[in-house]
Amino acid sequence: AKEIDSKHLINDCYVTFSELYYAKADYKKAYDYHEMYSEVKDSIFSEETGKNIAEMEVEFETEKKENEILQQKKLRNIYFIAFVFAVAAIVLIIVQYHKKNNAYKFLVKKNIDLLNNENELKSIKDYVIVNKSNNNNATLTDDKKEEILNELIKLLNNEKIFKKFGLTIDKLAKLLSTNRTYLSQIIKEENGKNYTDFINEYRVKESMLLFSDHQKNSKLSIEGIANEAGFKSVSSFILAFKKYTGITPSKFRHEANALKINPENV
């Protein structure tokens, strides 16, 4: 048993010797073999215990590493998903930003084009009015409404009376030698607007011209543009401008500069 280093077999031998000597009444040798049996048994137990502990430690370390690998995979998946969402969000924000900027540019260009077309129509209308005044005075005298309307257009287009602060409908009616009721009716029938919206529309168009003039645009603030166009306060200017154009004055100014609009063409 010792040659093959089998502790279990050695232990069995010690038990057998202990029992044989005990049967022969040789209690000392029986006790000695029993002691050797106990020592080997304890050694076997320690070895097996150590082996079990070692196996448990190996198993624990293996599970720990597997869990760590699993957690790392989960974290990598989470980071990857977060990265994908972040990229998608950034792309969406960039797309929305470009769409918004393109929409602003479209609004500015559209308003500038409308302003150009209106100025051309005003020139034609002024020409017609002058010809009618020279060739058909009798008709104008009889048609009081057309006379007032023509005078109103002259005051607004030529003298730009809308730029005056505190231009009430009563003051304007007095300049046209009529009353506020008749003037309000003419504005409503011809333009479909009340007096305030009608005057503010002229002021907004004037501010658009000022924004399109790079020299004035660079020298005047938003408040300066508003005052130059006839608005007494910046808040009322912003509200009226956004109502008419769809964007704020500051955004219109920025886009007008980016488009490099020539004021001579407006």
Side-chain angles (χ1 to χ4, degrees):
K2 288 181 179 179
E3 285 178 1
I4 62 175
D5 193 25
S6 174
K7 289 185 178 181
H8 287 282
L9 188 57
I10 291 171
N11 213 29
D12 291 340
C13 293
Y14 286 159
V15 171
T16 303
F17 286 137
S18 179
E19 291 174 350
L20 288 172
Y21 282 112
Y22 183 82
K24 290 177 67 177
D26 191 343
Y27 300 116
K28 184 178 182 306
K29 287 188 176 181
Y31 176 78
D32 291 340
Y33 278 109
H34 182 76
E35 283 290 314
M36 288 187 287
Y37 159 76
S38 298
E39 289 178 3
V40 174
K41 183 181 178 181
D42 290 341
S43 174
I44 292 171
F45 177 77
S46 297
E47 287 180 1
E48 289 180 347
T49 304
K51 184 179 180 182
N52 290 335
I53 291 173
E55 288 177 353
M56 290 175 64
E57 287 178 348
V58 170
E59 186 177 353
F60 173 76
E61 290 295 328
T62 303
E63 288 182 0
K64 183 179 178 182
K65 288 180 179 178
E66 288 177 352
N67 288 331
E68 288 177 353
I69 293 170
L70 184 62
Q71 289 296 326
Q72 289 175 357
K73 287 182 178 178
K74 286 182 179 179
L75 284 174
R76 282 198 295 268
N77 290 336
I78 292 171
Y79 290 148
F80 177 74
I81 292 169
F83 173 76
V84 170
F85 275 108
V87 171
I90 292 170
V91 170
L92 183 62
I93 290 170
I94 292 172
V95 170
Q96 291 297 326
Y97 176 78
H98 283 298
K99 283 184 177 179
K100 192 174 182 181
N101 273 348
N102 289 335
Y104 283 143
K105 289 177 181 177
F106 173 76
L107 283 173
V108 172
K109 193 173 184 307
K110 183 180 177 182
N111 281 293
I112 292 296
D113 290 341
L114 286 173
L115 197 57
N116 288 333
N117 293 334
E118 285 185 5
N119 285 336
E120 290 177 3
L121 290 174
K122 284 176 185 177
S123 299
I124 295 170
K125 195 169 184 179
D126 289 342
Y127 176 77
V128 172
I129 289 171
V130 170
N131 287 340
K132 288 182 75 176
S133 299
N134 294 332
N135 301 324
N136 201 7
N137 290 330
T139 304
L140 285 176
T141 303
D142 293 336
D143 195 349
K144 185 66 176 175
K145 178 182 174 181
E146 187 174 359
E147 180 184 343
I148 293 171
L149 182 61
N150 292 337
E151 288 300 319
L152 175 61
I153 292 171
K154 286 181 181 180
L155 284 175
L156 293 170
N157 291 343
N158 300 336
E159 299 182 23
K160 296 190 176 183
I161 196 169
F162 57 84
K163 296 174 71 173
K164 292 184 178 181
F165 292 154
L167 181 65
T168 63
I169 190 170
D170 292 313
K171 292 179 180 178
L172 186 55
K174 189 176 180 180
L175 290 172
L176 296 169
S177 301
T178 186
N179 57 67
R180 62 174 293 155
T181 303
Y182 198 16
L183 179 58
S184 178
Q185 181 183 344
I186 292 171
I187 292 172
K188 187 71 175 177
E189 290 177 358
E190 294 295 323
N191 297 278
K193 298 180 177 67
N194 59 36
Y195 172 77
T196 302
D197 288 341
F198 176 70
I199 293 298
N200 280 345
E201 184 177 330
Y202 272 88
R203 288 171 174 167
V204 169
K205 290 175 184 177
E206 181 66 19
S207 67
M208 289 167 64
L209 291 173
L210 293 171
F211 282 136
S212 302
D213 188 329
H214 296 299
Q215 288 186 344
K216 291 184 178 180
N217 190 15
S218 60
K219 292 179 181 178
L220 293 173
S221 62
I222 295 290
E223 184 177 4
I225 295 284
N227 294 336
E228 186 75 16
F231 287 98
K232 197 171 183 178
S233 68
V234 176
S235 58
S236 61
F237 170 55
I238 293 172
L239 288 174
F241 194 95
K242 194 169 182 181
K243 181 179 180 181
Y244 183 77
T245 64
I247 57 178
T248 60
S250 58
K251 194 66 183 176
F252 185 94
R253 167 186 251 176
H254 175 76
E255 296 299 336
N257 285 335
L259 290 172
K260 296 182 180 179
I261 297 167
N262 187 351
E264 293 179 0
N265 296 330
V266 180

